[in-house]
Short mmCIF file of all heavy atoms in Angstrom, two decimals:
data_model
loop_
_atom_site.label_atom_id
_atom_site.label_comp_id
_atom_site.label_asym_id
_atom_site.label_seq_id
_atom_site.Cartn_x
_atom_site.Cartn_y
_atom_site.Cartn_z
N MET A 743 103.25 98.88 99.39
CA MET A 743 101.92 98.71 100.06
C MET A 743 101.40 97.26 99.80
O MET A 743 100.90 96.66 100.68
CB MET A 743 100.96 99.73 99.50
CG MET A 743 101.16 101.18 99.95
SD MET A 743 99.97 102.36 99.29
CE MET A 743 98.39 101.71 99.91
N LEU A 744 101.61 96.83 98.53
CA LEU A 744 101.18 95.45 98.21
C LEU A 744 101.95 94.40 98.98
O LEU A 744 101.34 93.46 99.48
CB LEU A 744 101.38 95.19 96.67
CG LEU A 744 100.46 95.96 95.76
CD1 LEU A 744 100.80 95.78 94.31
CD2 LEU A 744 99.00 95.59 95.96
N TYR A 745 103.20 94.61 99.15
CA TYR A 745 104.06 93.72 99.97
C TYR A 745 103.47 93.63 101.35
O TYR A 745 103.39 92.61 102.02
CB TYR A 745 105.50 94.15 99.99
CG TYR A 745 106.25 93.78 98.70
CD1 TYR A 745 107.51 94.47 98.37
CD2 TYR A 745 105.73 92.87 97.74
CE1 TYR A 745 108.12 94.19 97.18
CE2 TYR A 745 106.49 92.65 96.56
CZ TYR A 745 107.68 93.30 96.30
OH TYR A 745 108.32 92.97 95.19
N GLY A 746 103.20 94.87 101.94
CA GLY A 746 102.70 94.89 103.25
C GLY A 746 101.37 94.18 103.44
O GLY A 746 101.11 93.39 104.33
N LEU A 747 100.45 94.42 102.38
CA LEU A 747 99.10 93.87 102.50
C LEU A 747 99.18 92.30 102.22
O LEU A 747 98.50 91.48 102.96
CB LEU A 747 98.32 94.45 101.44
CG LEU A 747 97.91 95.90 101.60
CD1 LEU A 747 97.29 96.50 100.41
CD2 LEU A 747 97.04 96.10 102.85
N LEU A 748 100.07 91.85 101.30
CA LEU A 748 100.18 90.42 101.00
C LEU A 748 100.93 89.70 102.16
O LEU A 748 100.82 88.48 102.24
CB LEU A 748 100.86 90.27 99.74
CG LEU A 748 100.07 90.69 98.50
CD1 LEU A 748 100.89 90.55 97.22
CD2 LEU A 748 98.82 89.70 98.39
N ALA A 749 101.63 90.49 103.08
CA ALA A 749 102.34 89.80 104.18
C ALA A 749 101.30 89.10 104.99
O ALA A 749 101.55 88.13 105.64
CB ALA A 749 103.06 90.84 104.95
N MET A 750 100.04 89.71 105.10
CA MET A 750 99.07 89.12 105.82
C MET A 750 98.76 87.72 105.33
O MET A 750 98.56 86.73 106.22
CB MET A 750 97.73 89.86 105.70
CG MET A 750 96.58 89.47 106.65
SD MET A 750 97.01 89.75 108.43
CE MET A 750 96.76 91.59 108.54
N ALA A 751 98.69 87.53 104.04
CA ALA A 751 98.37 86.23 103.44
C ALA A 751 99.51 85.22 103.79
O ALA A 751 99.29 84.02 104.08
CB ALA A 751 98.20 86.34 101.96
N VAL A 752 100.79 85.68 103.83
CA VAL A 752 101.94 84.88 104.08
C VAL A 752 101.90 84.45 105.55
O VAL A 752 102.23 83.36 105.86
CB VAL A 752 103.24 85.62 103.76
CG1 VAL A 752 104.41 84.78 104.15
CG2 VAL A 752 103.32 85.91 102.29
N ILE A 753 101.55 85.37 106.38
CA ILE A 753 101.44 85.04 107.83
C ILE A 753 100.40 83.97 108.04
O ILE A 753 100.62 83.00 108.83
CB ILE A 753 101.08 86.34 108.64
CG1 ILE A 753 102.25 87.32 108.66
CG2 ILE A 753 100.67 85.93 110.17
CD1 ILE A 753 101.89 88.61 109.23
N VAL A 754 99.30 84.10 107.42
CA VAL A 754 98.18 83.09 107.48
C VAL A 754 98.76 81.75 106.93
O VAL A 754 98.50 80.65 107.55
CB VAL A 754 96.91 83.51 106.67
CG1 VAL A 754 95.91 82.42 106.69
CG2 VAL A 754 96.24 84.74 107.25
N ALA A 755 99.54 81.80 105.90
CA ALA A 755 100.12 80.53 105.34
C ALA A 755 101.07 79.96 106.39
O ALA A 755 101.11 78.73 106.49
CB ALA A 755 100.86 80.85 104.07
N VAL A 756 101.86 80.78 107.08
CA VAL A 756 102.76 80.19 108.09
C VAL A 756 101.94 79.37 109.16
O VAL A 756 102.28 78.42 109.57
CB VAL A 756 103.60 81.29 108.77
CG1 VAL A 756 104.27 80.78 109.94
CG2 VAL A 756 104.49 81.98 107.73
N LEU A 757 100.88 80.08 109.60
CA LEU A 757 99.98 79.37 110.55
C LEU A 757 99.54 77.99 109.98
O LEU A 757 99.39 77.02 110.74
CB LEU A 757 98.75 80.26 110.93
CG LEU A 757 99.08 81.50 111.71
CD1 LEU A 757 97.89 82.37 111.87
CD2 LEU A 757 99.78 81.11 113.08
N GLY A 758 99.14 77.98 108.70
CA GLY A 758 98.80 76.74 108.08
C GLY A 758 99.79 75.70 108.14
O GLY A 758 99.46 74.57 108.37
N VAL A 759 101.01 76.09 107.84
CA VAL A 759 102.14 74.99 107.84
C VAL A 759 102.30 74.62 109.29
O VAL A 759 102.45 73.42 109.54
CB VAL A 759 103.50 75.68 107.33
CG1 VAL A 759 104.56 74.69 107.43
CG2 VAL A 759 103.27 76.19 105.91
N ILE A 760 102.29 75.46 110.28
CA ILE A 760 102.44 75.06 111.69
C ILE A 760 101.30 74.09 112.08
O ILE A 760 101.54 73.03 112.68
CB ILE A 760 102.40 76.31 112.63
CG1 ILE A 760 103.58 77.16 112.33
CG2 ILE A 760 102.37 75.81 114.10
CD1 ILE A 760 103.57 78.46 113.07
N ASN A 761 100.07 74.45 111.70
CA ASN A 761 98.88 73.61 111.96
C ASN A 761 99.11 72.24 111.39
O ASN A 761 98.85 71.17 112.07
CB ASN A 761 97.67 74.29 111.37
CG ASN A 761 96.52 74.41 112.43
OD1 ASN A 761 96.68 73.97 113.56
ND2 ASN A 761 95.40 74.89 112.01
N THR A 762 99.46 72.19 110.11
CA THR A 762 99.52 70.91 109.38
C THR A 762 100.58 70.00 110.14
O THR A 762 100.40 68.85 110.31
CB THR A 762 99.88 71.16 107.93
OG1 THR A 762 98.88 71.87 107.35
CG2 THR A 762 100.02 69.84 107.21
N LEU A 763 101.76 70.63 110.34
CA LEU A 763 102.82 69.82 110.93
C LEU A 763 102.47 69.35 112.37
O LEU A 763 102.81 68.25 112.75
CB LEU A 763 104.14 70.71 111.10
CG LEU A 763 104.81 70.96 109.70
CD1 LEU A 763 105.93 71.96 109.84
CD2 LEU A 763 105.28 69.65 109.04
N ALA A 764 101.87 70.18 113.16
CA ALA A 764 101.49 69.88 114.44
C ALA A 764 100.46 68.70 114.46
O ALA A 764 100.63 67.72 115.27
CB ALA A 764 100.83 71.06 115.23
#
Side-chain angles (χ1 to χ4, degrees):
M743 286 179 65
L744 290 174
Y745 285 162
L747 293 169
L748 289 171
M750 186 69 74
V752 175
I753 291 171
V754 175
V756 172
L757 291 175
V759 178
I760 295 173
N761 228 3
T762 299
L763 287 173

